[in-house]
């Protein structure tokens, strides 16, 4: 219930109440001091400091200040932020009552700083949470802040800045209304009413007073609301409704006496003495003034004392006892001078503190702006740096790209050159395979050319000899026979000459770059030609090699549009491979093995299928998977380029939009099928 | 006595050439020419005329059964009377020459066939 106690501080400060230093109070203070000496538990000590502070506050401000400061330090030590602000508030109030306004201001500013700390809503203790259970953490902080605004408003009011005072009160009221903080709202309303009454703004004061009075009727045990009587009394007094005023002042006196509040009592007595003087009830006014002076002097309430002296003096004037009147008047003036001087000093100090604070705030603002500018500048440099880095990276990337492109272009050119060389190498390699076959193929027609020429010449000689004979001896039948043979021979010479010519042309075509132009070609003849070339080529290299060749050409194929050099290359390649594998198998001396290579052509609808089959060792699947890859070869190093089948595959699939398929069974053989559409 | 000569070559025109070259010998019945256009055909002929004295003139490079395989078969199979086998192959083919000789070839001729020489050889054999 600490908060409630603190709330009383405020009320006390605002209404200038003070309690008597009665025996009960002294007993309680002693008891608390004993408890304090026996415990080292911070939470218990904090409670005792709070109670001592409250008890002393009403009778001995310096002692109250001491215990409040102890409590505040303990909170600081235990990081109890909100509890600390509560004790700081109490300290600020005490300074305010002691008229040490600058110190008070410093305290309220310190509270403001504390409450504006980052994430303070996460540092609320369970005790505070329990106390403010109807509010969430953020709302609790807002309420604490509003409370500090309210206190600062009181301070401004005390030093005479009523504009700032009312502004702060109204600001606080809005926040309390927003969060429906009823208990706090009645405090702010009471202070607002006090303000309006003091400043004689009764139209504004009355609705608030009425509201407070209704609340009091509904809850007659609420002691706090009873301060409303004194305020009503003041209003009635100013409105010259003296009976009503008197009635309310009496209630005020009774109430403050009942709760033992000397400050509150003195405040009402001031009003009551004024009323009696106004009503020319000087005796009553004397009695009240004396009572006022007794209490105010005892508890050093200077303003009340001055008031007491003044009203007493006025009463003496009224009854024409001028000496006494002068005596009290002089006392009032001396006291007033001293207080005015001390007040002035306090207010000057406050103004200086305020000025310092403003200057400090200005410095903070300048520093903040400078920091923001610095941060912006750093940010700007950082962004510029990032931009520069990006530009640099882009530039570098570009350069690298250009370099890479150059390297890639060079590599591409090299690759193209290498590819051309490889293709040429493959052509030359297959040409090498063919050389012996070609030699054999050319040799045969040449032999025929020579032999037929030779025999024809002999026949001509024979004819000539025959013609030398007499008519009777001449055998004309023989002559005719010989002439016929010569004629045939010439045809044969021509035929074999052309045959040799075709072979040479074929060889040249094979080594030349492909024209890539499809030409009508006798596919069967092409297959036959390359079959011979490949067979004899292998035979020329390996004399022991022999193989059975099976030919099955479908005559229905006729003329097919193909790129003859390229297609021949494929046929040659497939046949060379077939001969190679059957020869290889033959080397393993398998009994009864007859190396056989078959070539067949077949027309199926618009499709033409050329198959080359061998009865070699066949291939496992993992080899089949790779055979069309460039540079893959199963032949020993130096025997194959590994390009034959990959080139063949390209020629058939890309050059002729056909298919090149392979089917192989291990130990049984392999069949390559070329499928093209005519 | 007529000498029977079996010419084995895959080139059909060999027949014409030999018939023209040996016109006189054929006419005078000194020689009788038979032709086979593959090793297999030659073997068939030999099987059909097993005990005939025959001179075989065979090319080596032929599709299917080569001349050397044919030579091997003949030398293994036909002993009575032992056929005379002369092998003909392309110029400078020393490997085939050696192999033919090791298989029992009686003589060796290189292409283009020198018919004058061939005739002399045949005459020597005949005599």
């Amino acid at each position: 219930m600490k908060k409630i106690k603190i709330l009383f501080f405020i009320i006390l400060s605002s209404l200038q109440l003070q309690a008597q230093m009665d025996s009960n109070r002294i007993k309680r203070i002693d008891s608390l001091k004993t408890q304090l000496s026996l415990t080292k538990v911070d939470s218990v000590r904090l409670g005792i400091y709070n109670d001592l502070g409250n008890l002393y506050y009403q009778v001995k401000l310096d002692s109250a200040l001491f215990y409040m400061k102890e409590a505040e330090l303990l909170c600081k030590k235990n990081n109890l932020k909100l509890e600390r602000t509560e004790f700081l508030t109490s300290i600020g109030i005490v300074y305010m009552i002691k008229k040490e306004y600058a110190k008070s201001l410093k305290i309220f500013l310190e509270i403001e700083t504390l409450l504006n700390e980052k994430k303070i809503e996460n540092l609320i203790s369970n005790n505070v949470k329990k106390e403010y259970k109807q509010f969430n953490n953020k709302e609790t902080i807002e309420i604490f802040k509003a409370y500090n605004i309210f206190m600062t408003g009181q301070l401004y009011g005390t030093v005479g800045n009523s504009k700032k005072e009312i502004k702060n009160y109204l600001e606080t009221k809005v926040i309390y209304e927003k969060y429906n903080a009823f208990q706090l709202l009645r405090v702010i309303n009471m202070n607002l009413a006090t303000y309006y009454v003091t400043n004689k703004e009764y139209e504004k004061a009355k609705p608030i007073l009425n509201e407070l009075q209704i609340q009091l009727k509904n809850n007659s045990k609420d002691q706090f609301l009873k301060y409303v009587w004194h305020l009503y009394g003041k209003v009635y007094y100013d409105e010259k409704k003296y009976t009503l005023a008197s009635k309310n002042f009496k209630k005020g006196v009774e109430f403050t006496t009942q709760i033992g509040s000397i400050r509150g009592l003195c405040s009402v007595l001031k009003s009551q003495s004024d009323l009696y003087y106004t009503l020319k009830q000087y005796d009553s006014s004397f009695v009240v003034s004396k009572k006022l002076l007794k209490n105010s002097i005892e508890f050093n309430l200077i303003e009340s004392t001055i008031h007491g002296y003044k009203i007493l003096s006025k009463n003496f004037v009224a009854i024409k006892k001028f000496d006494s009147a002068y005596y009290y008047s002089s006392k009032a003036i001396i006291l007033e001078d001293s207080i005015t001087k001390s007040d002035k000093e306090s207010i000057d100090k406050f103004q200086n503190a305020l000025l310092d604070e403003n200057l400090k705030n200005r410095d903070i603002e300048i520093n903040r702006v400078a920091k923001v500018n610095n941060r912006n500048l750093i940010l700007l440099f950082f962004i510029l740096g990032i931009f520069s880095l990006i530009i640099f990276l882009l530039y570098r990337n570009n350069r690298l790209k250009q370099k890479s492109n150059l390297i890639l272009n060079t590599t591409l050119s090299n690759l193209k050159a290498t590819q051309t060389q490889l293709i040429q190498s493959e052509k030359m390699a297959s040409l090498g395979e063919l050389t012996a076959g070609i030699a054999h193929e050319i040799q045969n027609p040449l032999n025929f050319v020579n032999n037929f020429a030779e025999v024809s010449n002999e026949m001509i000689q024979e004819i000539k000899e025959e013609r030398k004979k007499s008519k009777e001896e001449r055998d004309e039948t023989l002559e005719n026979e010989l002439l016929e043979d010569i004629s045939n021979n010439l045809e044969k010479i021509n035929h074999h000459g052309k045959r040799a010519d075709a072979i040479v042309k074929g060889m040249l075509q094979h080594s030349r770059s492909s024209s890539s132009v499809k030409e009508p070609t006798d596919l069967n003849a092409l297959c036959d030609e390359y079959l011979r070339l490949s067979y004899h080529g292998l035979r020329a290299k390996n004399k022991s090699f022999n193989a059975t060749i099976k030919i099955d050409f479908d005559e229905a194929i006729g003329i097919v549009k193909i790129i003859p050099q390229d297609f021949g290359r494929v046929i040659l390649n497939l046949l060379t491979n077939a001969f190679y594998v059957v020869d290889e198998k033959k080397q393993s001396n398998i009994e009864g093995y007859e190396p056989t290579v078959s070539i067949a052509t077949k027309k199926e609808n618009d499709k033409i299928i050329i198959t080359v089959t061998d009865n070699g060792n066949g291939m496992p699947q993992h080899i089949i998977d790779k055979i069309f890859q460039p540079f893959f070869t199963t032949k020993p190093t130096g025997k194959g380029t590994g390009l034959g089948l990959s080139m063949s595959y390209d020629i058939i699939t890309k050059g002729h939009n056909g298919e090149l398929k392979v089917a192989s069974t291990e130990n049984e053989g392999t069949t390559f099928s070329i499928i093209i559409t005519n | 006595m007529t000498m029977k000569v079996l010419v084995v070559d895959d080139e059909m025109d060999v027949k014409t050439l030999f018939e023209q070259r040996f016109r006189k010998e054929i006419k005078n019945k000194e020689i009788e020419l038979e032709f086979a256009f593959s090793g297999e055909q030659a073997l068939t002929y030999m099987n059909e005329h097993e005990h005939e004295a025959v001179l075989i003139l065979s090319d080596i490079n032929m599709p299917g059964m080569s001349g050397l395989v044919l030579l091997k078969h003949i030398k293994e199979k036909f002993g009575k009377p032992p056929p005379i086998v002369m092998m003909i192959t392309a110029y400078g083919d020393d490997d085939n020459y050696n192999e033919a000789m090791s298989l029992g070839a009686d003589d060796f001729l290189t292409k283009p066939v020198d018919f004058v020489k061939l005739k002399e050889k045949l005459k020597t054999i005949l005599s």
Side-chain angles (χ1 to χ4, degrees):
Chain A
M1 298 304 284
K2 204 187 316 165
K3 190 82 208 170
I4 299 300
K5 285 168 190 168
I6 291 171
L7 285 179
F8 269 105
F9 283 11
I10 301 148
I11 299 148
L12 294 167
S13 81
S14 63
L15 300 179
Q16 307 280 295
L17 293 178
Q18 190 163 347
Q20 280 178 306
M21 190 71 169
D22 54 51
S23 56
N24 283 343
R25 190 182 302 267
I26 294 164
K27 270 185 191 171
R28 249 189 103 199
I29 286 171
D30 288 344
S31 161
L32 286 168
K33 281 183 177 174
T34 312
Q35 283 178 43
L36 192 65
S37 63
L38 292 173
T39 184
K40 286 187 175 175
V41 181
D42 283 354
S43 58
V44 179
R45 292 176 75 86
L46 192 64
I48 297 170
Y49 285 145
N50 181 54
D51 290 346
L52 281 169
N54 277 327
L55 286 166
Y56 271 122
Y57 170 79
Q58 298 182 47
V59 291
K60 205 173 174 187
L61 283 174
D62 287 340
S63 298
L65 194 60
F66 171 79
Y67 288 112
M68 290 304 166
K69 279 184 177 176
E70 287 296 306
E72 190 259 331
L73 283 172
L74 210 56
C75 290
K76 193 175 178 181
K77 180 185 159 196
N78 289 287
N79 201 28
L80 298 166
K81 299 263 181 190
L82 293 190
E83 284 88 338
R84 194 178 156 209
T85 65
E86 286 178 327
F87 287 110
L88 281 170
T89 304
S90 304
I91 294 166
I93 291 165
V94 173
Y95 279 133
M96 202 169 12
I97 297 167
K98 280 165 66 69
K99 301 194 175 178
E100 294 184 35
Y101 305 126
K103 283 184 182 175
S104 184
L105 178 70
K106 204 178 157 194
I107 294 290
F108 295 140
L109 290 171
E110 192 181 341
I111 294 167
E112 191 188 342
T113 309
L114 269 174
L115 292 172
N116 280 324
E117 275 182 14
K118 274 181 185 174
K119 296 189 176 170
I120 189 161
E121 62 267 22
N122 299 334
L123 294 167
I124 301 173
S125 72
N126 287 334
N127 283 339
V128 174
K129 279 183 186 170
K130 207 171 156 187
E131 214 172 301
Y132 288 83
K133 60 187 173 191
Q134 68 269 42
F135 308 109
N136 64 32
N137 290 355
K138 207 178 166 190
E139 288 169 351
T140 306
I141 300 296
E142 287 302 306
I143 286 165
F144 268 74
K145 281 183 183 173
Y147 191 68
N148 196 49
I149 291 167
F150 164 63
M151 285 315 307
T152 315
Q154 279 217 346
L155 178 63
Y156 278 115
T158 312
V159 297
N161 188 342
S162 55
K163 271 189 185 172
K164 196 93 173 145
E165 181 187 12
I166 192 70
K167 182 181 165 285
N168 280 22
Y169 288 171
L170 293 171
E171 196 179 320
T172 309
K173 190 178 178 179
V174 169
I175 295 164
Y176 287 168
E177 277 174 346
K178 180 181 168 189
Y179 297 121
N180 202 19
F182 172 75
Q183 290 292 324
L184 294 163
L185 199 56
R186 57 198 244 295
V187 175
I188 192 73
N189 275 336
M190 191 66 79
N191 279 274
L192 268 173
T194 308
Y195 174 86
Y196 290 132
V197 170
T198 309
N199 291 285
K200 300 187 192 304
E201 295 181 42
Y202 301 123
E203 292 313 308
K204 284 182 182 170
K206 275 181 184 172
I208 300 170
L209 285 172
N210 290 341
E211 195 186 322
L212 287 167
Q213 196 165 33
I214 291 163
Q215 285 174 13
L216 181 62
K217 273 181 188 170
N218 293 336
N219 185 11
S220 58
K221 284 181 183 173
D222 190 338
Q223 295 293 335
F224 174 75
L225 290 169
K226 292 178 180 173
Y227 289 107
V228 80
W229 290 329
H230 181 206
L231 293 175
Y232 262 122
K234 279 187 160 188
V235 175
Y236 290 137
Y237 175 75
D238 267 19
E239 290 176 345
K240 299 188 176 25
K241 294 175 180 170
Y242 299 124
T243 315
L244 281 171
S246 176
K247 200 176 162 188
N248 277 290
F249 287 152
K250 274 179 185 167
K251 273 184 176 179
V253 171
E254 278 169 26
F255 157 63
T256 50
T257 310
Q258 188 191 334
I259 63 164
S261 168
I262 299 300
R263 280 178 193 272
L265 177 66
C266 288
S267 182
V268 188
L269 289 175
K270 275 159 70 182
S271 304
Q272 204 176 30
S273 63
D274 286 345
L275 174 70
Y276 287 137
Y277 174 78
T278 308
L279 292 172
K280 297 182 180 174
Q281 295 174 9
Y282 302 120
D283 291 344
S284 299
S285 186
F286 268 121
V287 173
V288 174
S289 300
K290 287 278 183 190
K291 196 177 172 184
L292 172 65
L293 278 169
K294 181 181 174 283
N295 284 297
S296 58
I297 290 166
E298 187 181 345
F299 292 98
N300 197 29
L301 304 175
I302 297 163
E303 282 178 352
S304 296
T305 310
I306 293 167
H307 191 93
Y309 285 143
K310 278 185 177 174
I311 198 71
L312 210 55
S313 172
K314 280 161 88 178
N315 276 320
F316 278 121
V317 171
I319 58 169
K320 301 186 179 1
K321 286 192 173 178
F322 297 110
D323 289 349
S324 297
Y326 177 73
Y327 171 75
Y328 286 112
S329 176
S330 302
K331 282 196 126 183
I333 289 163
I334 292 162
L335 208 55
E336 209 165 30
D337 279 353
S338 73
I339 194 178
T340 310
K341 199 180 170 190
S342 120
D343 270 4
K344 195 177 174 294
E345 278 173 7
S346 289
I347 290 167
D348 282 350
K349 276 184 188 172
F350 173 80
Q351 294 296 353
N352 286 337
L354 202 62
L355 191 66
D356 285 350
E357 184 57 27
N358 285 341
L359 286 171
K360 205 169 98 187
N361 283 342
R362 206 185 65 180
D363 285 348
I364 289 168
E365 183 60 18
I366 288 167
N367 281 339
R368 194 188 65 79
V369 171
K371 268 184 188 174
V372 168
N373 285 344
N374 267 347
R375 206 176 54 201
N376 286 347
L377 201 66
I378 290 166
L379 197 70
L380 189 72
F381 275 118
F382 179 72
I383 291 166
L384 276 174
I386 295 277
F387 266 113
S388 307
L389 191 70
I390 290 167
I391 289 166
F392 171 73
L393 285 175
L394 285 173
Y395 172 75
R396 196 166 147 269
N397 253 10
N398 199 29
R399 283 292 301 272
L400 283 175
K401 244 184 207 171
Q402 282 178 351
K403 274 187 187 175
S404 301
N405 280 346
L406 197 70
I407 293 167
L408 280 174
N409 280 334
T410 314
T411 311
L412 190 67
S413 305
N414 288 343
L415 273 174
K416 278 183 176 170
T418 309
Q419 191 189 27
T420 313
Q421 275 178 1
L422 278 170
I423 291 168
Q424 195 55 31
S425 300
E426 171 58 23
K427 282 182 193 171
M428 295 319 285
S430 55
L431 192 65
E433 301 260 329
L434 291 179
T435 313
I438 288 164
H440 180 267
E441 288 301 304
I442 293 174
Q443 189 64 53
N444 273 349
L446 280 178
N447 286 342
F448 281 116
V449 169
N450 290 335
N451 281 323
F452 279 116
E454 214 173 292
V455 78
S456 299
N457 197 28
E458 281 174 15
M459 283 184 210
I460 289 165
Q461 289 305 322
E462 219 173 309
I463 292 168
K464 279 181 180 173
E465 277 172 24
E466 204 61 37
R467 285 189 178 174
K468 281 178 188 171
K469 289 177 184 175
S470 60
K471 250 189 180 178
E472 293 77 27
E473 283 178 330
R474 269 177 72 177
D475 185 347
E476 281 190 22
T477 318
L478 178 69
E479 276 181 34
N480 289 337
E481 216 174 272
L482 286 170
L483 282 170
E484 184 64 31
D485 281 351
I486 289 165
S487 172
N488 286 339
N489 285 358
L490 288 173
E491 269 179 34
K492 286 193 188 296
I493 287 166
N494 190 246
H495 165 73
H496 287 289
K498 279 182 179 169
R499 194 177 141 195
D501 181 58
I503 291 164
V504 172
K505 275 185 180 159
M507 185 175 72
L508 288 172
Q509 271 188 335
H510 182 85
S511 60
R512 260 207 312 268
S513 299
S514 165
S515 62
S516 298
V517 176
K518 286 183 181 174
E519 295 168 19
T521 309
D522 183 345
L523 187 61
N524 287 342
L526 185 97
C527 289
D528 189 57
E529 185 187 342
Y530 279 95
L531 172 68
R532 283 170 169 280
L533 289 174
S534 58
Y535 176 76
H536 291 302
L538 196 65
R539 282 288 301 271
K541 281 204 287 189
N542 180 7
K543 310 299 174 196
S544 64
F545 173 74
N546 203 5
T548 303
I549 296 169
K550 290 182 180 171
I551 299 168
D552 181 14
F553 290 149
D554 184 351
E555 293 303 325
I557 285 174
I559 302 297
V560 182
K561 272 193 120 181
I562 51 171
I563 307 162
Q565 304 96 304
D566 287 354
F567 213 89
R569 226 170 263 157
V570 177
I571 299 292
L572 179 72
N573 196 268
L574 297 181
L575 285 166
T576 309
N577 284 346
F579 284 127
Y580 182 87
V581 294
V582 293
D583 188 44
E584 195 179 45
K585 191 171 178 180
K586 197 186 168 193
Q587 303 301 320
S588 53
N589 293 319
I590 296 166
E591 208 183 318
Y593 177 68
E594 190 69 37
T596 309
V597 172
S598 312
I599 182 161
T601 56
K602 199 177 176 187
K603 188 174 168 72
E604 271 182 14
N605 301 322
D606 62 337
K607 288 202 187 310
I608 288 160
I609 304 159
I610 303 112
T611 52
V612 173
T613 307
D614 65 71
N615 64 344
N617 284 316
M619 295 177 282
Q621 190 58 45
H622 72 272
I623 301 275
I624 294 174
D625 293 341
K626 292 178 186 170
I627 53 166
F628 295 120
Q629 288 177 10
F631 306 108
F632 178 80
T633 181
T634 55
K635 289 177 184 172
T637 315
K639 295 267 179 183
T641 59
L643 286 170
L645 279 176
S646 81
M647 269 175 64
S648 299
Y649 189 81
D650 281 357
I651 289 167
I652 299 302
T653 56
K654 293 179 185 167
H656 293 83
N657 293 322
E659 290 176 77
L660 178 57
K661 290 180 175 175
V662 59
S664 188
T665 310
E666 276 190 88
N667 301 318
E668 286 183 21
T670 305
T671 298
F672 282 91
S673 308
I674 303 165
I675 302 156
I676 52 167
T677 309
N678 193 16
Chain B
M1 188 187 163
T2 309
M3 182 192 228
K4 193 167 265 183
V5 177
L6 175 64
V7 181
V8 189
D9 201 308
D10 59 325
E11 294 280 356
M12 305 291 266
D13 283 340
V14 165
K15 187 171 182 281
T16 315
L17 188 66
F18 269 76
E19 282 171 348
Q20 288 180 4
R21 278 291 188 170
F22 290 97
R23 184 193 300 276
K24 282 179 186 170
E25 288 79 1
I26 292 166
K27 209 173 176 183
N28 298 333
K29 298 208 190 273
E30 290 168 13
I31 201 164
E32 188 184 332
L33 293 174
E34 294 291 340
F35 294 91
F37 299 105
S38 70
E40 289 84 354
Q41 273 187 24
L43 271 184
T44 311
Y45 177 88
M46 288 301 288
N47 283 327
E48 285 169 0
H49 306 84
E50 203 177 336
H51 301 295
E52 278 183 21
V54 67
L55 187 144
I56 300 165
L57 268 174
S58 176
D59 187 15
I60 291 180
N61 288 327
M62 289 185 291
M65 187 186 288
S66 76
L68 293 172
V69 177
L70 176 68
L71 170 64
K72 201 179 164 197
H73 281 304
I74 288 168
K75 287 293 173 185
E76 281 171 3
K77 240 178 145 183
F78 306 99
K80 287 178 183 177
I84 296 162
V85 185
M86 292 174 79
M87 303 306 291
I88 306 166
T89 193
Y91 173 78
D93 198 346
D94 294 340
D95 290 342
N96 274 341
Y97 173 83
N98 293 332
E99 195 178 348
M101 285 309 185
S102 69
L103 286 170
D106 296 281
D107 211 338
F108 206 93
L109 289 170
T110 52
K111 286 183 180 177
V113 176
D114 185 340
F115 282 90
V116 180
K117 263 189 187 173
L118 177 62
K119 281 181 184 177
E120 280 173 8
K121 284 189 184 224
L122 289 178
K123 274 179 187 171
T124 315
I125 291 164
L126 269 174
S127 61

